[in-house]
């Protein structure tokens, strides 16, 4: 009888250990679920805030915002340059430096639509803006362009993705912009006779075709605009 009692007590203790173990596992699962829920709430909040910023075109010039917010579906205003270019994170700073306020160019169907938009801004006293037609004219280069270069240089156009209907817009703005490793390399390349391109480094230093050098410690203000599409995609992936 004593042996049976000892066996029963041992089994009882084993069952109690299993129950305690299961309870601890449950508490662990509940903690993980709570952490996952909190993370999801944070991601959703960030995504909603970013969507609101994008919808309101925050950070854009007053005239650009006015035209974009007043645009009609299927109308002549198609969007803004920053919204049709997907830029890898490692190249965002270079693209922002190379394009600058051209990221805020409003894309319109025809050049005449740009004229109408400027008239609207003037009549409503709602600021200024720049408008690029969907099929912009390519300006011939006097000298060697980006296609003549090789080695450790890359056309910035080849490092980004562009929605197909807007390919010609991107080509007009980026086809003669070349990414170089650093400012010294860029300057050496600029000094070569006949090379007429804009040179930009990953750190956002720029040498234009005339030899004007731009750079410094502050990042380009347009970098935040460039990064919005990537951030929205990452947040969408995190939420799903």
């Amino acid at each position: 009888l004593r042996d049976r009692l000892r066996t029963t007590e041992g089994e009882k203790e084993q069952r109690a250990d299993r129950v305690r173990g299961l309870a601890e596992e449950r508490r662990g699962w509940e903690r993980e679920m709570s952490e996952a829920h909190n993370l999801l709430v944070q991601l959703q909040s960030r995504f909603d805030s970013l969507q609101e910023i994008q919808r309101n075109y925050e950070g854009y010039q007053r005239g650009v915002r006015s035209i974009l917010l007043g645009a009609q579906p299927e109308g002549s205003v198609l969007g803004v340059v920053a919204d049709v270019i997907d830029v890898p994170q490692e190249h965002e700073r270079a693209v922002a430096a190379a394009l600058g306020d051209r990221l805020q160019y409003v894309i319109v169907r025809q050049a005449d639509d740009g004229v109408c938009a400027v008239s609207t801004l003037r009549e409503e006293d709602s600021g200024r803006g720049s408008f690029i037609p969907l099929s912009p004219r390519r300006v011939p280069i006097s000298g060697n362009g980006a296609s003549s270069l090789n080695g450790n240089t890359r056309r910035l156009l080849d490092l980004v993705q562009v929605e197909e209907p807007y390919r010609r817009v991107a080509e007009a703005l980026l086809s003669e912009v070349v990414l170089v490793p650093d400012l010294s390399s860029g300057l050496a390349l600029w000094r070569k006779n006949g090379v007429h391109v804009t040179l930009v480094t990953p750190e956002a230093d720029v040498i234009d075709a005339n030899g004007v050098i731009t750079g410094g410690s502050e990042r380009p203000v347009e970098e935040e605009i460039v990064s919005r599409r990537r951030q929205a995609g990452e947040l969408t992936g995190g939420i799903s």
Side-chain angles (χ1 to χ4, degrees):
L1 183 60
R2 292 192 185 94
D3 291 340
R4 290 175 59 188
L5 287 173
R6 282 194 293 269
T7 300
T8 301
E9 288 295 330
E11 292 175 350
K12 181 179 179 181
E13 186 62 30
Q14 290 176 358
R15 286 195 294 269
D17 288 340
R18 285 199 296 270
V19 169
R20 285 192 291 269
L22 291 172
E24 183 60 33
E25 286 184 23
R26 179 179 178 180
R27 285 192 291 270
W29 295 335
E30 289 174 345
R31 283 194 298 269
E32 290 180 7
M33 290 177 61
S34 177
E35 291 171 358
H37 175 72
N38 291 337
L39 178 59
L40 180 60
V41 169
Q42 293 174 10
L43 290 175
Q44 186 66 56
S45 177
R46 288 174 56 195
F47 180 74
D48 292 343
S49 296
L50 186 58
Q51 288 287 88
E52 185 70 16
I53 288 172
Q54 289 181 305
R55 279 194 299 268
N56 292 328
Y57 295 99
E58 293 182 19
Y60 285 81
Q61 299 165 3
R62 185 166 68 96
V64 172
R65 293 184 70 236
S66 176
I67 293 296
L68 292 172
L69 292 174
Q72 299 297 318
E74 306 302 324
S76 60
V77 174
L78 304 177
V80 67
V81 167
D83 281 348
V84 302
I85 301 176
D86 286 312
V87 184
Q89 185 173 4
E90 64 268 25
H91 299 313
E92 287 175 352
R93 187 162 296 185
V95 170
L99 290 182
D101 60 5
R102 287 177 292 178
L103 286 162
Q104 300 192 38
Y105 281 6
V106 178
I107 304 170
V108 292
R109 294 189 186 279
Q110 305 289 340
D112 289 343
D113 298 321
V115 173
C116 291
V118 169
S119 298
T120 298
L121 291 176
R122 182 173 292 113
E123 292 168 2
E124 298 179 356
D125 191 24
S126 50
R128 293 174 63 86
S130 296
F131 304 88
I132 184 169
L134 190 59
S135 298
R137 177 182 296 169
R138 291 294 301 273
V139 179
I141 296 175
S142 58
N144 296 324
S147 60
S148 67
L149 304 177
N150 50 35
N152 57 359
T153 64
R154 296 283 303 277
R155 281 199 319 167
L156 212 51
L157 181 64
D158 298 331
L159 301 174
V160 303
Q161 293 184 335
V162 184
E163 296 178 24
E164 191 55 40
Y166 307 103
R167 185 71 186 178
R168 291 184 63 179
V169 171
E171 289 174 349
L173 298 176
L174 286 174
S175 62
E176 299 304 327
V177 179
V178 175
L179 184 70
V180 294
D182 51 54
L183 202 52
S184 297
S185 301
L187 189 58
L189 188 59
W190 177 82
R191 285 179 170 142
K192 292 184 176 180
N193 291 331
V195 177
H196 294 172
V197 296
T198 295
L199 305 160
V200 61
T201 74
E203 296 300 316
D205 301 318
V206 180
I207 306 174
D208 73 7
N210 296 315
V212 177
I213 300 174
T214 304
S217 61
E218 296 180 352
R219 69 175 190 170
V221 295
E222 293 82 7
E223 185 177 350
E224 192 270 335
I225 292 176
V226 173
S227 68
R228 289 176 185 174
R229 278 174 67 88
R230 173 185 55 79
Q231 292 177 14
E234 291 175 351
L235 289 172
T236 300
I239 292 171
S240 60

